[in-house]
Each structure stands twice: as C-alpha cells, then as structure tokens.
Amino acid sequence: MVKEEVHIDEQLIPILEQVSDPEIPVLSILEMGVIRSAVVLNNIVNIKITPTYSGCPAMDIIGEDIEKALKDAGYQSEVKLILSPAWTSDWITSKGRKALEDYGIAAPLNETADKEVLLGNKKLVKCTNCGSQNTIVVSQFGSTACKALFKCEDCLEPFDYFKCLK
Ligand SMILES: [Zn+2]
C-alpha cells in the first residue's frame, strides 16, 4: 500500500516528538508514523492521526497526550482520527526502527519475510542482544499481541519481535 504524503508543519515537529507511543514508550508518535498531518491555522492545530490499532484504548490517550503537549506549547488543537488507509508497520521511520532495536525489540521485517520467520521456516530476525540471526520463534504472541517472542540460540536471550502489521 502506498503511503499518503504526510504533511507536518515544521514548528510542530519538536512538540510532537515529545509525545510517546503508549504501546512502546521509547518511540514518539512521529517515529511510529501515527500522524497523517498537522497544520497550524489561526493558532489552532488541525491534526490527523491514524491509530496503530483501531479499537485500541491507548489511542484515546494519544489524542489527549497530543492535545496536552500542544496546549503546553500555546496551541489549541483539534485531533481527528483517520482510519483509512489503516496504519501498517511500514510507516515506522528508520529512526523509529533504530529506537526499537536499541530498546530490545527487533523491528518488523517485510510482509513475506515476516510470515517465514513466524512459521519458523527461515531465520531472519536479528537478536537484539548479540546481533546473531540464529534465532527461533518461541511464541507468536509476546508481551502484547503486536509482538512475537523470539529466543537467540547463540546467546540464549529471549527478546520481542515487532510483527509486520498490515
Ligand atoms: Zn543473541
């Protein structure tokens, strides 16, 4: 699926960078690719977000967190939810993927590779501890539904893999 052009007014970026994803606190909502657009008009910020999971209660919190961060910076805001096209893990930025890895969560592979590793056919997920690809899936579901639990057969450390979501 082709991602729509994301439009964010430059002065809003440092503010939005401070709002973290409720699911993965080390990632900002910008890095998660949740924001579709954010435009200032007459000191009111019109902002459109696409939840990572529709029906996820965390999304109410994101909306409130965004409003609060903007209010602290002197803006009023109107947050609108855009449900289509749906969020996919492809929208996570490269900076976001790096932050995930640093946090100890393997970043999502592409859709095809993702299926292979979850079925246990291929070893493509890198251990977040030692970097080895000698890793096996332990459970399709890790600490949350969006993650799978992997284990490294070299250093024996278990770690989460963020599944590819479409
Ligand atoms: Zn390892």
Side-chain angles (χ1 to χ4, degrees):
M1 185 184 289
V2 178
K3 186 181 179 182
E4 281 176 50
E5 191 73 22
V6 175
H7 186 92
I8 300 170
D9 280 359
E10 210 152 299
Q11 72 265 41
L12 300 174
I13 290 175
I15 304 164
L16 296 172
E17 264 175 351
Q18 289 166 27
V19 182
S20 58
D21 184 86
E23 189 91 11
I24 301 158
V26 291
L27 285 190
S28 79
I29 50 171
L30 278 180
E31 289 158 355
M32 279 298 274
V34 165
I35 297 187
R36 305 263 54 81
S37 71
V39 178
V40 188
L41 204 69
N42 302 325
N43 217 42
I44 298 173
V45 180
N46 286 287
I47 186 158
K48 292 178 183 160
I49 63 174
T50 299
T52 48
Y53 306 100
S54 37
C56 173
M59 276 302 141
D60 291 340
I61 301 169
I62 282 195
E64 283 167 25
D65 286 353
I66 291 171
E67 280 173 15
K68 186 175 178 307
L70 289 168
K71 197 175 166 215
D72 290 348
Y75 294 105
Q76 282 185 286
S77 58
E78 278 174 23
V79 179
K80 232 188 187 173
L81 286 183
I82 307 291
L83 298 177
S84 175
W87 182 88
T88 92
S89 50
D90 292 347
W91 293 3
I92 301 174
T93 64
S94 49
K95 195 177 158 201
R97 297 174 70 89
K98 170 104 183 25
L100 269 179
E101 305 268 351
D102 290 348
Y103 186 58
I105 301 173
L109 300 165
N110 68 43
E111 201 173 0
T112 319
D114 181 82
K115 282 210 183 83
E116 297 282 4
V117 297
L118 290 176
L119 290 170
N121 294 340
K122 279 185 186 164
K123 295 184 175 184
L124 299 167
V125 176
K126 262 194 202 151
C127 169
T128 56
N129 185 47
C130 73
S132 164
Q133 276 196 14
N134 190 15
T135 57
I136 51 163
V137 61
V138 176
S139 163
Q140 298 272 345
F141 296 96
S143 55
T144 64
C146 67
K147 301 185 204 100
L149 184 64
F150 273 70
K151 190 182 168 188
C152 176
E153 295 198 295
D154 285 336
C155 73
L156 305 178
E157 282 293 319
F159 62 94
D160 275 336
Y161 162 66
F162 198 114
K163 288 189 263 192
C164 172
L165 298 166
K166 296 278 179 187

